[in-house]
Amino acid sequence: MSRTSYDRYLTVFSPEGRLYQVEYAFKAITGSGHTSVAVRGKDTCVVITQKKVPDKLIDASSVTHLYSITPSIADAKAQVSRAQQEAAEWRYKYGYEITPDALARRIANINQVYTQRAAMRPLGISMILIGIDPDHGPQCFKLDPAGYFVGFHATAAGQKQQEAMNHLEKKWKKLDNGRGADDPADAGRKLGHADVIEIAIEAMSTVHATDYKPGEIEIGIVSTAEEENPKTRGLWRVLSETEVEQHLLAYAEKD
């Protein structure tokens, strides 16, 4: 069989042990034209993504890649709907909100099913899921089309994700007076509310070599920090353009 023959069957491995349709799903992610970055600290988890409005007549407020799953979990639509459904069923069955790791594991298992049945195809998206765990604090997970998920201190997805990951790794090594590489978890726990947002903005601006305007990026946050409004503390929300502008100015002045 030629390579094109193996392309047609999701459940048939090539002689090299590859599933081409799953690989194509990963290529769809990197070719999406959008970059997303997520960072977590001691009391805050943030995700930032590009906001591209293709036409001036489109209402910019209707364009987003950030969605709320529960009040304290978010990610960036078939998968969003399924995640919301799973979270609602968990709440109904057990009486409390699903934790980020439990939701990530459930959605990853569903992704894995999509690679096993010929009547399905892998979803060409990567989900970054952030939230607050009652016992472990801020959490950040990334799920891929193959059904693999893992927790991160900081991660990136989409276009130029490898460049963003390289930048975040270098940044993390410099944390805690250069001891970030020795104990990444401890270094992350020393990052405050503003620090987490600044690192995410810096990664996005650096890999694209662009000074972003408030309307060109979206920032979603879940935080239990004292700086957060008591009404939204511990809950998912998207920062307003005014707040985004304040953080961009703070980053520019520090830079």
Side-chain angles (χ1 to χ4, degrees), residues 103-121:
L103 182 59
R105 183 178 295 107
R106 177 58 181 157
I107 299 302
N109 288 340
I110 294 171
N111 284 357
Q112 174 64 23
V113 172
Y114 275 69
T115 69
Q116 296 175 339
R117 299 184 181 179
M120 299 178 174
R121 70 161 179 82

Side-chain angles (χ1 to χ4, degrees), residues 98-207:
I98 190 170
T99 57
D101 66 306
L103 182 59
R105 183 178 295 107
R106 177 58 181 157
I107 299 302
N109 288 340
I110 294 171
N111 284 357
Q112 174 64 23
V113 172
Y114 275 69
T115 69
Q116 296 175 339
R117 299 184 181 179
M120 299 178 174
R121 70 161 179 82
L123 297 175
I125 64 169
S126 179
M127 174 184 284
I128 293 179
L129 191 150
I130 66 172
I132 301 292
D133 187 290
D135 298 320
H136 305 291
Q139 300 288 293
C140 174
F141 294 92
K142 184 166 74 172
L143 298 74
D144 66 30
Y148 178 74
F149 83 100
V150 67
F152 284 91
H153 300 296
T155 188
Q159 187 182 43
K160 294 191 175 183
Q161 69 175 29
Q162 192 55 54
E163 292 92 329
M165 290 292 289
N166 292 340
H167 174 83
L168 290 168
E169 287 177 11
K170 292 177 182 178
K171 184 71 177 180
W172 220 260
K173 289 179 181 178
K174 297 177 182 179
L175 296 178
D176 197 17
N177 296 320
R179 294 191 292 269
D182 300 326
D183 192 345
D186 185 62
R189 283 192 288 268
K190 296 179 181 179
L191 292 175
H193 183 275
D195 299 324
V196 170
I197 298 175
E198 180 188 320
I199 291 175
I201 291 175
E202 179 183 335
M204 184 73 79
S205 297
T206 301
V207 298

